Amino acid sequence: MRIFDPHIHMTSRTTDDYRAMYDAGVRALVEPSFWLGQPRTSPASFLDYFDALLGWEPFRAAQYGIAHHCTLALNPKEANDPRCTPVLDALPRYLVKDSVVAVGEIGYDSMTPAEDTALAAQLQLAADHDLPALVHTPHRDKLAGLHRTLDVIRESRLPAERVLLDHLNETTVKDALNSGCWAGFSIYPDTKMDEDRMIAILRSHGTGRILVNSAADWGRSDPLKTRKVGDAMLAAGFGEDDVDQVLWRNPVAFYGQSGRLRLDTAAPPALHEGNSILRGGE
Ligand SMILES: [Zn+2]
């Protein structure tokens, strides 16, 4: 089973995770820039983080045979902090970098006017840079949040097929797919979406334009949830080609719109054992 995790925050994960992901079939991933939990106090803090997503983390992933790409943005939560919003002025010089495959994650957190401004500005940046956009849908007020998100997308210059709406569920899947956008589902260990609910959604809505991710980060999460959905699909009677479409071809088709995916560069994980290069931080 070959797996492309289209949304995972590897900065927060260990080398054991990288190894287990490789063993489970993960060969490529996208790491969206996001909120680190600890609030940032200046735009410079974003720039160091962006540089890490462009340099250090791809290097770390390559030691485990996994191709690493990223999406960059001012995240929805910090769009409300005036100490952070000036990073919007620095984004254009980062969005031209080779491994940036979308603008993201953007979208709504609490649906404030400041979030309206940041979302519209960053959809415009995506259009200007010929990039797709990864749009997070809010965890509260899901359907209202989706509709407000779709309104802003329709007013933007970015076509629906270049937008991936993420963190969807049974409430939002139908309207998301009808909008022409791609539909992303984050599978969590004990809250929100799980494998069984994902199987039911795939049964009702098919495998086209649907992506599954682990969204693993610094909270309780599981970087192997993509593989667990693949196994659950096979156990539920889906074919291997269906699994390949959801776990590989769909994310490749979506992020491939950037023209920047590098899927041939993941080297075999020769440094799994006795890895000395990555011990420098000890
Ligand atoms: Zn995320």
Side-chain angles (χ1 to χ4, degrees), residues 7-9 31-35 105 134 136 139 166-167 186 188 213-217:
H7 183 155
I8 183 165
H9 302 287
E31 175 158 7
S33 63
F34 82 141
W35 182 55
E105 43 193 306
L134 171 61
H136 154 118
H139 293 296
D166 214 342
H167 310 315
S186 304
Y188 298 99
N213 61 73
S214 70
D217 57 17

Side-chain angles (χ1 to χ4, degrees), residues 17 46 82 88 90 95 120 138 166 175 179 183 214 228 234 255 274:
D17 289 332
F46 282 90
L88 290 173
L95 295 179
D166 214 342
D175 290 355
S179 74
S214 70
K228 288 171 185 170
L234 294 174
Y255 287 116

Side-chain angles (χ1 to χ4, degrees), residues 187-195 214 219-223 225:
I187 312 301
Y188 298 99
D190 48 13
T191 57
K192 306 166 193 161
M193 285 300 298
D194 63 21
E195 293 91 320
S214 70
R220 179 156 154 71
S221 46
D222 177 355
K225 280 295 187 188

Side-chain angles (χ1 to χ4, degrees), residues 174-188:
K174 188 160 160 278
D175 290 355
L177 285 172
N178 286 342
S179 74
C181 296
W182 295 71
F185 295 83
S186 304
I187 312 301
Y188 298 99

Side-chain angles (χ1 to χ4, degrees), residues 1 17 21 28 37 55 65 77 82 85 88 100 121 136 149 168 175 185 192 197 206-207 210 232 265 275:
M1 192 183 295
D17 289 332
M21 288 164 66
K77 199 170 182 82
T85 49
L88 290 173
V100 180
H136 154 118
T149 304
L168 298 173
D175 290 355
F185 295 83
K192 306 166 193 161
R197 290 167 60 189
T207 53
I210 288 188
T265 53
N275 182 336

